[in-house]
Amino acid sequence: MQIKRLAVLVSGGGSNLQALIDAIQSGEISAKIELVISNREQAYGLTRAAQNGIATHYLGIKNYPDSNARAEKLNTLLAAHQIDYVVLAGYLSILKPETIRQYEGRIVNIHPSLIPKYCGEGFYGHHVHEAVLANGESESGATTHFVDEGVDTGKIIYQERVPVLKGDTVETLSARVLTVEHQLIVRTVRDLCSGSVKTSE
C-alpha cells in the first residue's frame, strides 16, 4: 500500500499533531507528514514539527497580508508536496473555497464538541467548553469531520463522548476532551489512510 502524504495545519500547541507524529512513528498510521503549516508564526506546533524533521511553513497576515495570496500559496505548497490528505488539527482559520474544492473529501477537521452542538462561527477552543458548562450539559466530546464550504458542517466521521463532571471548570473539561481528541484524530487519519473511511456518500 502506498504511503499517504499528509499536510497538518495548526494554530497553537500542536498536541494533536504530536499524537499523529507518535502514531506514525509507532506504525499505527501508514503515512508521512510532509509539511506542517500554521497561520500563527509562534505556534508551538511548528516547533514540534521542526523537532521531528518535518518541513514547516508560516502562512499568516504578517507575510501574506492578502487572504487570496495566502490561499494561493497554500494550494501551491499542497500541490508541490503531492498531499493526499489535509488535516486541520486546531487550525483557527477558514480555508478558501478553492482549496476545499481542490481537496474535496480529503480535508478533515477535529472539533471539541459533539457536532451539531457548539460548532460553527465563534465556537472554538475554550469558547466551546465555556458554552457547554454555561448550559449545564451532562456531556461533551469531540468530532472529526470532512471539511466543506460551511463552518463545521461537513460529513461527520467519528465522535467520542466525554462526560461533564460535577465541579468541572473550562480547564478540567478541556483537558479531558483534548485527551479524547488525540485518540480520535489518530483513529480518523489511520482509517483514512487505510481506506476504511469513505470520503464520499
Side-chain angles (χ1 to χ4, degrees), residues 29-46:
I29 296 175
S30 180
K32 180 183 178 183
I33 300 175
E34 291 289 336
L35 73 161
V36 171
I37 297 170
S38 180
N39 62 327
R40 292 182 176 175
E41 191 173 13
Q42 302 302 321
Y44 187 66
L46 295 176

Side-chain angles (χ1 to χ4, degrees), residues 43-83:
Y44 187 66
L46 295 176
T47 301
R48 290 183 191 270
Q51 289 172 343
N52 285 275
I54 302 169
T56 64
H57 296 274
Y58 161 62
L59 292 181
I61 293 176
K62 184 176 178 180
N63 59 353
Y64 286 89
D66 179 74
S67 63
N68 290 323
R70 286 199 302 277
E72 184 176 345
K73 180 62 175 178
L74 172 61
N75 293 345
T76 298
L77 287 169
L78 297 178
H81 287 268
Q82 300 178 310
I83 296 302

Side-chain angles (χ1 to χ4, degrees), residues 21 64 100 110 122 191:
I21 291 171
Y64 286 89
I100 295 170
I110 187 155
D191 290 355

